[in-house]
């Protein structure tokens, strides 16, 4: 479950749900991991607060042991750490004797969402955008079936935005990311299929649709 620090407990719950019809894997990460911080240098409140602390291939193995990632898509909101998290996941696949291309789903870089949550970032946006571009080039070159750029517009709704404002801020974030990738010589045609937008759904059902 999100917030659990016990990788074994998370794996057991995941295996239970997959056997009962769950058809995707959502891998929640704690704040320290999403910010790319080593647990030894992160604040105690940022470790295990929203999900799992994943910094090594062995930890990935404990969380995903027995899961056939080729059979179900994997979704990870990785904040600033999408590049190293993808590297961990592909290294785990290789250790299992499986091709990295078996990994499918989304490992999403979304630095502005982390900035919205926290109010500041441990690195500048230029560095975050460089990592986003490097990851997007990598998965494109190796033909990995992964989305790499996330826009969690639902955070604006949690902060009190209306459905119209949530849509506007989400699209503006997407445009900012697209422009950042364009500055790194990644075309809109290359970048577009790598995006994943997430919006909230609440009591204003028809307006949100």
């Amino acid at each position: 479950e999100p917030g659990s620090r016990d990788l074994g407990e998370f794996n057991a719950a995941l295996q239970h749900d997959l056997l009962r019809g769950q058809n995707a894997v959502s891998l929640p990460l704690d704040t320290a991991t999403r910010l790319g911080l080593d647990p030894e240098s992160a604040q105690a409140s940022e470790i295990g607060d929203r999900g799992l602390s994943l910094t090594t291939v062995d930890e990935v193995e404990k969380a995903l042991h027995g899961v056939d990632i080729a059979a179900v898509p994997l979704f990870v909101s990785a904040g600033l750490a999408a590049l190293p998290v993808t590297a961990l996941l592909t290294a785990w696949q290789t250790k299992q004797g499986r091709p990295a291309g078996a990994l499918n789903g989304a490992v999403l870089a979304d630095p502005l969402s982390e900035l919205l949550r926290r109010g500041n970032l441990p690195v500048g946006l230029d560095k975050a955008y460089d990592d986003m571009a490097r990851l997007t080039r990598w998965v494109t070159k190796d033909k990995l079936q992964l989305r790499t750029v996330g826009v969690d517009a639902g955070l604006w709704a949690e902060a009190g935005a209306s459905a119209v404002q949530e849509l506007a801020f989400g699209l503006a974030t997407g445009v900012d990311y697209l422009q950042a990738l364009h500055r790194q010589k990644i075309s809109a045609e290359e970048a577009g299929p790598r995006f994943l937008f997430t919006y909230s759904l609440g009591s204003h059902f028809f307006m949100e649709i």
Side-chain angles (χ1 to χ4, degrees), residues 33-34 78-90 107-110 127-128 130-139 148:
T33 303
R34 292 197 319 275
L80 301 178
L83 180 60
V85 168
T86 302
L88 283 175
L89 291 167
T90 54
V107 183
L108 302 170
D110 191 1
K127 170 65 166 60
D130 284 347
D131 286 350
M132 181 189 291
R134 288 174 60 196
L135 176 59
T136 302
R137 284 198 194 93
W138 170 20
V139 300
T148 57

Side-chain angles (χ1 to χ4, degrees), residues 29-81:
L29 302 179
D30 65 3
T31 297
T33 303
R34 292 197 319 275
L35 293 176
L37 300 175
D38 188 290
E40 293 183 0
S41 61
Q43 298 179 20
S45 62
E46 295 175 329
I47 301 172
D49 61 336
R50 292 176 177 269
L52 305 172
S53 177
L54 293 181
T55 58
T56 68
V57 175
D58 286 344
E59 288 171 343
V60 173
E61 163 61 22
K62 289 177 183 177
L64 298 177
H65 179 72
V67 177
D68 183 2
I69 292 300
V72 289
L74 173 70
F75 294 91
V76 189
S77 295
L80 301 178

Side-chain angles (χ1 to χ4, degrees), residues 135-184:
L135 176 59
T136 302
R137 284 198 194 93
W138 170 20
V139 300
T140 301
K141 177 177 177 292
D142 289 358
K143 296 181 171 59
L144 301 183
Q145 300 302 307
L146 283 179
R147 295 177 186 256
T148 57
V149 183
V151 177
D152 186 0
L155 289 173
W156 295 104
E158 292 175 14
S162 67
V164 174
Q165 291 167 330
E166 180 187 355
L167 178 62
F169 288 133
L171 291 175
T173 301
V175 169
D176 192 67
Y177 290 165
L178 195 62
Q179 291 176 337
L181 293 173
H182 180 72
R183 290 193 294 271
Q184 296 279 353

